[in-house]
Amino acid sequence: MKSKTLGRTGLNVSIVGLGAMYSGKPANSGISSPDMNFDLGVKTIQAAIENGCTLVDTAYVYSRGGSEKIIGEALKQRPDLAARCTVATKVGYLGEGRDHTFDGILRSFEGSQKRLGIEKFEIIYIHDAGGYPIEEVMSDDGALGAVRKLQDEGLVRCVGIACNDPEINTPFIETGEFDVAVVPDAWSMLNQTAAERILPAAEKYNMGICCATPLEIGVLATGPSQALAEGRRNFSTECLERVGEIEDLCKQYEIPLLAASLQWCTRHPQVSCAIPGGRTPEEATANAKAGAVEIPEAFWDDLTPLIQHWEKGIHR
């Protein structure tokens, strides 16, 4: 697996990590649903790390703590794998809702410690802080102040921001206060929203970027013939035709579309890791192996004219 330095964190991470949002969950199960196959989830985490993923991304809201419990069990069973990866989680959710108060963040962190079986974290993200005034989140007696307290106590090394909506994520990233950010729905071969403000700010502050949703709900893994008709993405005919052209180019070079899609994201200097989801050990393994595929510069040169932002082709 190839690796990059995660911005100013100094951490060396694999260019493909694991987004553990859906690990062990059935195909039609939602993000916060507790419905999951626990043993399958454990095997999925282990498969990702065994195949070279050194960054595992999770959060309480993923199955209401279920994802964190799965990761905790996976690493408890395999301490050798625990030593090979960084687990990053997010704070700001308690029970069924968000709580970005100073005390709420501390309680959220304590819950993650217990579920994951991890005392000290390399990275903790403030999660989905939209709806709270940014000044309140960033204040000494707000969410950032709480995480800074955890830093002072040696329980957290690096502080990140992770908001699902790019419009909410952007102002936080532009403060320069965060070492790293998870950026969903803003950077892929079909969506370059991050190029406008997020990536310039990341370059300015040497912020490490972890790219979520790099496969656009699977169409950039399996191609247009397998595009799913579901609420999070509604692809236009023109957009799917372009994916078909990209897929044809991949076939000419004998490169998996999956590998091209994930590695394209991390070609930007500040994007260190793509974190696609993996429901099963097979998916996690395929994603990890995609990060090890050698891709010649000639392919990237030929791919460049096919890349565009499909604002009207992908709808949330």
Side-chain angles (χ1 to χ4, degrees):
M1 173 82 77
K2 302 171 186 178
S3 64
K4 291 181 70 174
T5 301
L6 186 61
R8 69 195 196 206
T9 72
L11 288 170
N12 190 258
V13 296
S14 56
I15 63 169
V16 176
L18 175 68
M21 181 187 299
Y22 295 115
S23 296
K25 295 174 73 69
N28 295 319
S29 183
I31 176 176
S32 61
S33 168
D35 184 25
M36 63 170 54
N37 182 322
F38 193 88
D39 290 339
L40 183 67
V42 168
K43 291 176 182 177
T44 301
I45 303 302
Q46 293 172 343
I49 304 170
E50 285 172 343
N51 284 279
C53 291
T54 65
L55 184 63
V56 177
D57 179 89
T58 187
Y60 164 78
V61 76
Y62 304 162
S63 302
R64 304 173 195 168
S67 173
E68 291 182 323
K69 290 177 182 177
I70 281 175
I71 294 168
E73 179 61 27
L75 301 184
K76 179 180 177 182
Q77 290 181 10
R78 294 286 305 276
D80 58 314
L81 298 183
R84 288 159 52 181
C85 78
T86 295
V87 176
T89 193
K90 309 178 184 77
V91 290
Y93 279 86
L94 288 170
E96 295 302 311
R98 293 180 297 153
D99 187 339
H100 288 77
T101 64
F102 187 96
D103 290 341
I105 292 295
L106 296 181
R107 289 197 302 271
S108 178
F109 177 76
E110 289 170 1
S112 291
Q113 283 180 307
K114 293 175 183 177
R115 288 184 291 272
L116 287 162
I118 297 173
E119 180 185 7
K120 299 179 180 180
F121 291 79
E122 290 289 331
I123 302 170
I124 287 290
Y125 297 97
I126 296 174
H127 198 194
D128 282 344
Y132 287 75
I134 189 169
E135 297 81 6
E136 181 179 320
V137 174
M138 302 292 290
S139 68
D140 290 343
D141 57 357
L144 184 59
V147 182
R148 294 291 188 216
K149 178 179 186 294
L150 295 172
Q151 279 186 306
D152 291 343
E153 294 173 352
L155 297 174
V156 171
R157 193 170 74 82
C158 301
V159 178
I161 186 70
C163 301
N164 193 58
D165 187 336
E167 291 187 9
I168 296 172
N169 225 3
T170 299
F172 286 104
I173 291 170
E174 289 179 331
T175 67
E177 288 288 335
F178 298 97
D179 305 304
V180 61
V182 171
V183 176
D185 294 342
W187 193 241
S188 76
M189 291 199 292
L190 303 180
N191 182 352
Q192 288 93 58
T193 300
E196 183 177 353
R197 292 171 60 185
I198 290 175
L199 291 176
E203 289 185 285
K204 179 179 179 180
Y205 298 111
N206 192 22
M207 179 185 297
I209 298 294
C210 295
C211 173
T213 62
L215 300 175
E216 298 295 349
I217 319 301
V219 71
L220 290 177
T222 58
S225 64
Q226 302 296 317
L228 297 176
E230 60 119 285
R232 291 186 64 194
R233 297 290 189 276
N234 296 303
F235 300 101
S236 68
T237 300
E238 294 79 9
C239 180
L240 291 176
E241 287 175 349
R242 179 57 57 85
V243 176
E245 293 178 49
I246 294 171
E247 186 177 36
D248 289 342
L249 180 65
C250 289
K251 290 177 181 177
Q252 292 176 30
Y253 278 87
E254 298 183 337
I255 294 168
L257 175 62
L258 175 63
S261 299
L262 293 175
Q263 292 195 35
W264 180 89
C265 295
T266 60
R267 283 176 64 79
H268 189 282
Q270 294 304 130
V271 181
S272 303
C273 186
I275 45 174
R279 293 182 185 271
T280 66
E282 292 77 18
E283 286 185 2
T285 297
N287 290 340
K289 289 184 175 180
V293 173
E294 292 296 330
I295 300 179
E297 283 299 319
F299 170 81
W300 299 119
D301 291 342
D302 289 343
L303 176 67
T304 299
L306 299 179
I307 301 298
Q308 73 175 82
H309 177 67
W310 291 88
E311 186 172 357
K312 296 182 179 179
I314 304 176
H315 302 288
R316 287 295 311 280

